[in-house]
Structures are given as C-alpha cells and as structure tokens.
Amino acid sequence: MKSNKFTRIIVCFLVLLSVDMHAQLNLPRGSQQATVSQRIGITDIYIKYSRPSVKNREIWGKLVPYGMNDLRFGTAKESPWRAGANENTIIKFTNDVTIEGQPLKAGKYGLHMVINKDNTATVIFSKNYTAWGSFFYDPNEDALRVNVKTKTIPFVEQLTFDFTDVDATSAIASLKWEKKEIPFKIEVDVTKIVLEDIRKKLQDQPGFSRQTWEQAANFSLNNGGDLNEALVWIDKAIAGQFFSQKTFNNLSIKAQILNKLGRAEEYGKLMDEAASMANTNQLNRLGYTMIKAKDYARAIKYLKRNVDNNPTSANAYDSLGEAYKEAGDKKNAVKALKKSLSLNPPANVKANSEKLLKELGEM
C-alpha cells in the first residue's frame, strides 16, 4: 500500500509538472517567490527563494527531515533540503566573498542545507543552480560547504531569508522558519575589491576627470591601500594631465599621504599651501584635521586665520577655542569660547562652547 501511494504521488507530481510546462500560465503559487539583497562595500548579494508557510505542520525532522535523504525522484540518492520550496534556492555574489571564513568565488549558486538534530546545520553552495530543488543534487558540484550552529527564535510563519549585523565588511545571512534560524556569516575584502575596480575605472571614461583621481587617492589613503600608488594618483590630479588642477582638496589629500609615509617636512609645507587656498569652511575643516592629527600648532594657526577672516563668526571662535583646549592652553581656550557665546551663536555652536567650558571648569 505504501509503495502504491508513493507511486500515485510521483504520477501526480509528473502530471502537474507536465501541465505547468505546456500551459505556461502565470498563476499564483502556494509558496510565494521572494528576493532579498544586501550590499557590502560595492559587492551585491542576492537570494531568490520560495516561501512556504508552517500551516500548523511539524517542520523540523518531519516536513524537513534531518540529515541527507533519498527523495526517490531525480538522480540523487542522498539529497539535502533545498532551503525553501519549488525551484532551487539561488544565492548570487557579484564579487568573491568568504563564508564562515572560507573563500567562495563570485557567481550564482544553488543553496542547500542539511539540518541536524543537534542544533547544527551544513550550508551547501552548489555550482548547479538551475536544477529543480534538490532532486538532482550532486556533491561533486559543491563549491563550498560550511557547518553552522542553529538558533531558537520566536515563531516565523513564512520562511524568510534576511541580512542582519551588517557592517562595512560583513553581514549575517539567515534562513528563519518556524522557531529555527540558520545563520551564516558573509565577509567581503572591500578595500581589495574597490581598489581593483578603481584601477579599471581610471583606465576608462571616469579616468578623464580630476575628481576621480582625487577620490581614488583619498579612498586608498583612508582604507589601508598602497600609499605610493595613492601618491601617484593624487599627483595626476594636481599636475601633468589635461584635467589636472591644483586645489585645496587635492593638496590636503597629498599632504595626508605624505604624513602617513613619514615625510613630515613635505607634509607640513603642503598643508600650509592648502590652507592658503582654503575658503572658510575648508579652513575650519582643516583645523579639525590638524586637531585629530594632534598637530595643535597648525590647528591653531589655521583657525586663528579663520577668526581674522571672520571676526563676527561664533563658529570660528568656537573651533579656535576647541583647538586651544586640546593643546592644553586653558586661558586662550576660555577666552575664545566666551567670545563665541557673546556672538549669539546658533544652537549647535552654543551647545559645543558651553560643553567645552564646563569641561574646563568655567561654567
């Protein structure tokens, strides 16, 4: 009786599949399709899947059996779960990534899972992403397998993939269904990927713009790139090309690169040259850059120049007061901050001046 029942199920499946193949009607599904995506750096990650519902069924160990299973259809004798319903669940990466610390090339993969009784799971990335479900799963087509721990979560009726704990270089992708979550960490070498993209773009149309070379050098400077390469890029922006032009922005970028390279004297001269070209906002920003670099003498010099150029600006005095405070010159810090408050400052400037005076014990 069991064999006959199974035969009827297979026949029904084949009939439905045949009808679907020939009819080509666009009809609603019981398990709706969904796509979720996340960008990390400039790398896009997509998961396309179908969303079955619990519908008061026992899921783990029943509807989704534990371990590998013989689905008694297709070519696979042992199949994992297809991590969804209907067709293959597909995951795509536009650049190389690491999954749970293991490398995986850019591309599309069939996403499968083996769920275990002991609150662990194996996540499988198969090179075969076009097959229907897991009926034709072949372990020889695995691109990667990673073992993860599952989590118990509040009830989720419809199977859901999402991304959490997203930061500048990584995210956690998770399948959540019923009361179980299967998470796996995706990491991206953002700096390497961005710099590779930059090198290509500098040879193409974007490379005909001064601002592109400035952005390239600035990214490398602030993200652990090759400083000598960044120096070449910023020099292209400053001189020697048809698009080159010496500006406050590219001089200050070059100065910071030189500083990181330990070329202190060249750095100082270039910062002074950049300051001579700066407008009010740029000079103020440059002052704070010097404060951050603990180059208080230059910070005070630039911010004093801003005060001289803008004697009625509460913000100019507030910034100068902060530079004096960081330099340990309490007397001049208090003087500048009180001057800022006397000039009817906007709320944010007033709040900062008052905060700094309190820290100095003057309020």
Side-chain angles (χ1 to χ4, degrees):
M1 290 297 291
K2 184 180 289 187
S3 177
N4 290 338
K5 181 179 179 183
F6 179 76
T7 301
R8 288 198 299 271
I9 291 171
I10 292 297
V11 169
C12 288
F13 172 79
L14 292 173
V15 168
L16 289 171
L17 184 60
S18 176
V19 169
D20 183 63
M21 288 172 64
H22 289 91
Q24 299 296 313
L25 294 178
N26 190 14
L27 300 175
R29 298 180 174 206
S31 298
Q32 300 279 15
Q33 281 191 327
T35 302
V36 62
S37 64
Q38 178 63 50
R39 172 164 282 204
I40 303 173
I42 61 171
T43 298
D44 290 312
I45 303 162
Y46 305 89
I47 303 175
K48 183 179 180 181
Y49 65 108
S50 293
R51 305 186 64 189
S53 299
V54 174
K55 294 181 179 178
N56 295 316
R57 296 176 293 182
E58 188 175 350
I59 303 300
W60 309 111
K62 294 293 184 179
L63 185 64
V64 178
Y66 292 125
M68 300 284 282
N69 291 272
D70 184 355
L71 302 178
R72 302 180 70 183
F73 178 73
T75 57
K77 295 303 179 185
E78 286 192 320
S79 298
W81 177 45
R82 56 187 149 180
N86 302 323
E87 303 95 330
N88 218 337
T89 295
I90 296 173
I91 188 165
K92 177 183 176 183
F93 308 96
T94 57
N95 296 102
D96 296 352
V97 299
T98 60
I99 310 292
E100 294 291 320
Q102 298 187 51
L104 184 64
K105 292 290 186 183
K108 280 185 182 180
Y109 298 94
L111 185 62
H112 306 275
M113 294 182 179
V114 179
I115 312 301
N116 302 314
K117 290 182 181 180
D118 62 354
N119 297 319
T120 64
T122 300
V123 183
I124 302 170
F125 300 84
S126 172
K127 296 172 187 175
N128 184 351
Y129 62 88
T130 59
W132 184 278
S134 298
F135 297 107
F136 302 90
Y137 169 75
D138 182 348
N140 293 318
E141 295 175 325
D142 287 357
L144 178 67
R145 284 182 166 222
V146 295
N147 297 317
V148 298
K149 292 183 178 180
T150 65
K151 297 180 179 180
T152 301
I153 58 171
F155 181 82
V156 176
E157 173 65 25
Q158 283 189 306
L159 188 149
T160 299
F161 277 96
D162 66 5
F163 293 92
T164 58
D165 299 341
V166 180
D167 61 26
T169 60
S170 68
I172 302 294
S174 294
L175 181 152
K176 299 175 181 177
W177 197 27
E178 201 254 354
K179 293 184 178 181
K180 190 180 291 291
E181 175 183 357
I182 301 103
F184 53 95
K185 187 172 185 178
I186 303 170
E187 294 176 281
V188 179
D189 190 341
V190 173
T191 295
K192 178 184 176 184
I193 290 167
V194 171
L195 288 174
E196 287 174 352
D197 185 64
I198 284 172
R199 293 182 191 109
K200 292 176 183 176
K201 285 189 167 61
L202 290 176
Q203 299 174 27
D204 203 342
Q205 186 174 346
F208 290 86
S209 165
R210 168 178 57 82
Q211 289 84 353
T212 300
W213 294 85
E214 292 172 355
Q215 290 171 356
N218 194 52
F219 178 85
S220 188
L221 165 68
N222 292 300
N223 292 277
D226 183 334
L227 292 175
N228 288 301
E229 182 179 48
L231 192 58
V232 171
W233 289 345
I234 201 64
D235 280 339
K236 296 279 189 185
I238 294 170
Q241 308 294 312
F242 72 87
F243 53 76
S244 300
Q245 180 185 358
K246 186 184 288 188
T247 68
F248 163 80
N249 189 51
N250 54 40
L251 288 180
S252 61
I253 292 170
K254 181 174 181 178
Q256 292 174 71
I257 293 170
L258 291 170
N259 190 40
K260 277 197 173 182
L261 285 169
R263 294 159 65 172
E265 186 175 346
E266 294 172 86
Y267 151 78
K269 288 179 179 178
L270 213 54
M271 272 300 187
D272 289 343
E273 186 178 356
S276 70
M277 303 174 68
N279 61 33
T280 297
N281 290 334
Q282 290 170 337
L283 201 55
N284 195 69
R285 191 166 73 247
L286 193 59
Y288 276 101
T289 299
M290 295 298 97
I291 292 173
K292 186 177 180 181
K294 301 188 187 307
D295 189 346
Y296 301 123
R298 279 197 172 83
I300 291 167
K301 179 170 71 172
Y302 299 156
L303 294 171
K304 281 181 72 175
R305 186 181 300 171
N306 230 8
V307 165
D308 292 340
N309 294 339
N310 303 278
T312 61
S313 169
N315 187 57
Y317 279 101
D318 174 76
S319 299
L320 179 59
E322 190 162 351
Y324 276 127
K325 175 181 179 294
E326 293 302 315
D329 186 343
K330 178 178 178 180
K331 179 181 176 181
N332 280 313
V334 170
K335 182 179 177 181
L337 292 168
K338 286 187 174 180
K339 179 66 175 178
S340 172
L341 292 174
S342 73
L343 293 170
N344 192 28
N348 62 318
V349 175
K350 180 181 179 182
N352 192 59
S353 292
E354 289 178 343
K355 177 180 78 71
L356 294 171
L357 284 169
K358 283 179 182 178
E359 290 173 359
L360 292 164
E362 292 296 318
M363 286 192 73

